[in-house]
């Protein structure tokens, strides 16, 4: 059974940093691209970032480019999102999602339950 | 900021057919396949339709997808109470500053 478990969310002040993690199990992690998708309270879905199976291809939404860094550790079956210079508008539930293939350009077939990030002073 | 436009709401009585539209452009729907996600209240999104009209294992055949040009649609036939949820279309975008784009979302209410 595929499982994606996010962690690392919490309350953080504007301008500070936070690192999210996603622990994956139930599939061969290093065969698939992984993504972060967020959902602000009461709002729709927004793709944040994605990374290919071997970290060779990485993409970011314009809204986070230059502030967020995605990475993965295939030996630990884990995905990460380093979030710097956080803003109030980054407040959201952050989901980890598994891509259907190894490259970025696939749909997301499994999602975690999300970790909440709140940016506020 | 979503680049795929959906109606904010749709509704129907049990057993009816409901259709949700998704309008995009040549850089997303026009050149890539469309996927649909269902988000039940208080839960994570779930893949509902992929590659325009394919259903993952376990998704009832009441759900169907189609695409034409730069638009797509999701149809729910034989509407059931458990179909009350938010529905999002999505596609990869080939433009310079965009990657995966979601629709604005449609709230389906079963009357």
């Amino acid at each position: 059974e595929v499982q994606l478990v996010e962690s690392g969310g919490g309350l953080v002040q504007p301008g500070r940093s936070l690192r999210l993690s996603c622990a994956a199990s139930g599939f061969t992690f290093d065969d698939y691209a992984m993504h972060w998708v967020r959902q602000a309270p009461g709002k729709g879905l927004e793709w944040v970032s994605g990374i290919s199976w071997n970290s060779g291809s990485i993409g970011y939404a314009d809204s986070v480019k230059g502030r967020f860094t995605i990475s993965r550790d295939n030996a630990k079956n884990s995905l990460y999102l380093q979030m710097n210079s956080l803003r109030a508008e980054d407040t959201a539930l952050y989901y980890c999602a598994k891509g259907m293939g190894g490259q970025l350009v696939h749909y997301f077939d499994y999602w975690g339950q999300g970790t909440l990030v709140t940016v506020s002073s | 900021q979503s680049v795929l436009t959906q109606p904010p709401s749709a509704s129907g009585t049990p057993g009816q057919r409901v259709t949700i539209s998704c309008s995009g452009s040549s850089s997303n729907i026009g050149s890539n396949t469309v996927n649909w996600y269902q988000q039940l209240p208080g839960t994570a999104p779930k893949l509902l339709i992929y590659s325009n009209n394919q259903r993952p294992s376990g998704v009832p055949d009441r759900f169907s997808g189609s695409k034409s040009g730069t638009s797509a649609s999701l149809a729910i036939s034989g509407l059931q109470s458990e179909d009350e949820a938010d529905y999002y279309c999505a596609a990869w975008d080939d433009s310079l500053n965009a990657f995966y784009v979601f629709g604005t979302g449609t709230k389906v209410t079963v009357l």
Side-chain angles (χ1 to χ4, degrees):
Chain A
E1 178 194 4
V2 172
Q3 285 198 323
L4 300 171
V5 180
E6 303 92 338
S7 61
L11 175 63
V12 61
Q13 293 179 327
R16 304 298 290 264
S17 300
L18 208 58
R19 189 195 196 206
L20 305 184
S21 299
C22 172
S25 61
F27 64 101
T28 305
F29 184 73
D30 54 12
D31 277 350
Y32 297 96
M34 297 295 295
H35 301 263
W36 289 100
V37 177
R38 69 184 180 183
Q39 186 169 34
K43 301 297 184 182
L45 301 173
E46 179 189 16
W47 178 81
V48 173
S49 182
I51 185 168
S52 64
W53 67 280
N54 63 352
S55 305
S57 292
I58 287 175
Y60 298 99
D62 280 350
S63 56
V64 306
K65 199 173 294 183
R67 300 187 300 121
F68 289 11
T69 302
I70 191 172
S71 63
R72 64 189 295 162
D73 185 335
N74 287 344
K76 294 183 178 179
N77 288 351
S78 293
L79 174 72
Y80 306 101
L81 186 68
Q82 177 66 43
M83 303 186 296
N84 298 332
S85 303
L86 282 162
R87 306 167 180 167
E89 53 264 36
D90 296 319
T91 294
L93 187 61
Y94 284 73
Y95 293 105
C96 165
K98 171 186 170 291
M100 181 54 195
Q103 297 304 322
L104 294 184
V105 289
H106 291 285
Y107 51 89
F108 313 148
D109 56 354
Y110 290 94
W111 298 62
Q113 289 305 303
T115 186
L116 182 62
V117 173
T118 303
V119 184
S120 175
S121 54
Chain B
Q1 186 171 346
S2 300
V3 297
L4 304 182
T5 303
Q6 300 177 233
S9 63
S11 63
T13 57
Q16 277 190 328
R17 176 184 171 92
V18 169
T19 301
I20 301 168
S21 61
C22 174
S23 178
S25 68
S26 58
S27 65
N28 41 66
I29 294 178
S31 51
N32 294 294
T33 59
V34 177
N35 312 302
W36 290 88
Y37 299 90
Q38 177 193 57
Q39 188 174 30
L40 297 170
T43 70
K46 166 193 164 185
L47 179 66
L48 192 66
I49 296 286
Y50 66 95
S51 299
N52 302 328
N53 55 17
Q54 302 299 301
R55 285 185 308 276
S57 174
V59 172
D61 59 7
R62 304 184 289 104
F63 295 93
S64 62
S66 64
K67 173 186 138 175
S68 178
T70 59
S71 294
S73 63
L74 174 72
I76 310 173
S77 58
L79 191 66
Q80 298 184 6
S81 57
E82 58 262 37
D83 299 333
E84 190 159 288
D86 293 321
Y87 293 83
Y88 295 90
C89 60
W92 282 94
D93 193 302
D94 296 335
S95 63
L96 185 61
N97 297 317
F99 282 84
Y100 199 69
V101 290
F102 286 96
T104 49
T106 299
K107 168 69 176 177
V108 169
T109 301
V110 181
L111 301 171

